[in-house]
Amino acid sequence: MKGFVLCNLCILGLYLVMHLGAYALAANAGQLESALGMPIGLVRASLIEHAQLNALETAKLLALLNAIYWGVAAFAHLSSDHRMRLVHTLMILGVFFLLTVSANAYFAWADTHCDVLPYPHQGFQLAKIRECPSSSTFFTILSATGLLLIISSFLARLASRD
């Protein structure tokens, strides 16, 4: 129960920081105004709306994962012993990977050479992925890895059950 409450408090804190931080993020809208050719007020409103929507989606995803993780752990009568370093490390890494994906959507800072048009290859060619991966490919793999780490954390908790 303690782990569930602590995780939810962290999720709430993260949501508040991201939600309120959207206004600071939109303070840099002046640079986008000239690039997009839109009025500054519209650019700022769009940035704030996008960032706050991303904050809400991130909080929902983390809250859902948290509820499932701790709900199944409680149902299976699994310990939340603080000595389980491997379990906690896997969980933290999984959440960190998911937060990295969310931060990219929030700040829109990661683009690769292959994200810029014209794309060096035509169509989806599996052999060319290693040659020129897009940020979409990278963040999809990072998201899947984060979920896999969280599942591994749960399985490790299950395996070390008293």
Side-chain angles (χ1 to χ4, degrees):
M1 181 69 170
K2 187 195 249 180
F4 177 73
V5 171
L6 184 62
C7 287
N8 274 333
L9 288 175
C10 290
I11 292 168
L12 179 62
L14 176 68
Y15 169 72
L16 290 174
V17 167
M18 289 176 72
H19 184 80
L20 297 174
Y23 297 102
L25 186 67
N28 299 327
Q31 298 168 352
L32 288 175
E33 176 191 17
S34 59
L36 296 175
M38 296 169 51
I40 188 83
L42 187 59
V43 172
R44 278 193 181 133
S46 177
L47 281 174
I48 290 170
E49 180 183 359
H50 176 266
Q52 288 179 342
L53 180 64
N54 184 268
L56 181 63
E57 293 300 317
T58 300
K60 280 186 199 177
L61 173 67
L62 291 176
L64 177 66
L65 288 173
N66 185 43
I68 292 170
Y69 185 93
W70 289 108
V72 173
F75 181 73
H77 303 291
L78 299 180
S79 162
S80 62
D81 191 358
H82 294 290
R83 294 174 291 161
M84 301 171 70
R85 291 182 188 203
L86 174 66
V87 170
H88 296 301
T89 302
L90 289 172
M91 181 70 157
I92 289 169
L93 280 174
V95 170
F96 177 74
F97 285 2
L98 292 177
L99 288 178
T100 303
V101 173
S102 178
N104 177 57
Y106 186 76
F107 294 109
W109 43 254
D111 282 328
T112 65
H113 167 70
C114 294
D115 289 334
V116 180
L117 293 176
Y119 189 69
H121 329 295
Q122 293 297 346
F124 180 77
Q125 300 174 9
L126 196 55
K128 300 287 186 176
I129 290 291
R130 289 183 52 205
E131 180 181 318
C132 197
S134 67
S135 62
S136 173
T137 303
F138 172 73
F139 285 109
T140 300
I141 292 170
L142 191 64
S143 179
T145 304
L147 288 174
L148 181 65
L149 286 170
I150 291 171
I151 292 168
S152 298
S153 169
F154 180 76
L155 293 176
R157 183 179 298 276
L158 187 61
S160 66
R161 178 163 78 167
D162 296 335

